[in-house]
Each structure stands twice: as C-alpha cells, then as structure tokens.
Amino acid sequence: MGNTVTVSAKIPRELKEKLRKLRINVSHLIRVALEREVKRIEEERLMDMAEQASLSLKKIPSKEIVKVIREVREER
C-alpha cells in the first residue's frame, strides 16, 4: 500500500469493543466495504450512461446507421 491516506469515523464504544472481541480487522473491513461501494456506484453510473446512449441511438434511423457502417468499412 504505497500511497495511502488515513480516514476516520466515530462509532459507538460498544461497537468498538465487539469488533475487538471478535478480532475483526477494522482497517481491512473498511477498505473492502469502500472498494465495493465505489465499484457499485461506478457500475450504476455506467448502466445509466449506457441507457442514455441506447435512448439516443434509438432516435437514429437504422438506414442511417447502416450507411455509416458501410462508409467506414469502405474507408479501410
């Protein structure tokens, strides 16, 4: 972990004690949870972007799409 920063959060003392008793690696747990959440949000945003692109493409007549594809193929 070369380039890291420290983050902090306040939690109830009882929770901290339970984590200690259960020998839960809090740093690892937080890191994994944050990575999962970032991945989930990124995927959600990509799905939204794909949906918007799909809606935009539906507005283009299929004949126009075929025409552009043929032109691109002929340029090769």
Side-chain angles (χ1 to χ4, degrees):
M1 299 245 160
N3 192 10
T4 61
V5 296
T6 301
V7 296
S8 65
K10 293 186 183 246
I11 60 171
R13 187 177 308 276
E14 299 81 31
L15 178 57
K16 173 66 175 160
E17 283 301 312
K18 287 180 182 180
L19 291 165
R20 184 188 63 75
K21 286 179 183 176
L22 295 171
R23 296 183 177 175
I24 294 173
N25 183 334
V26 176
S27 294
H28 177 74
L29 180 63
I30 291 170
R31 193 175 316 111
V32 169
L34 290 173
E35 288 171 351
R36 280 188 196 141
E37 183 65 5
V38 166
K39 183 178 180 181
R40 183 189 70 77
I41 291 171
E42 287 176 338
E43 288 175 351
E44 189 176 284
R45 288 182 180 175
L46 285 173
M47 291 299 290
D48 289 344
M49 289 169 58
E51 179 67 24
Q52 290 299 316
S54 175
L55 293 173
S56 294
L57 288 173
K58 286 180 181 177
K59 295 176 184 176
I60 302 172
S62 57
K63 289 181 180 182
E64 185 66 25
I65 294 173
V66 171
K67 177 184 167 194
V68 171
I69 291 172
R70 286 190 177 136
E71 289 173 359
V72 170
R73 285 182 180 166
E74 289 174 4
E75 289 176 4
R76 290 188 209 174

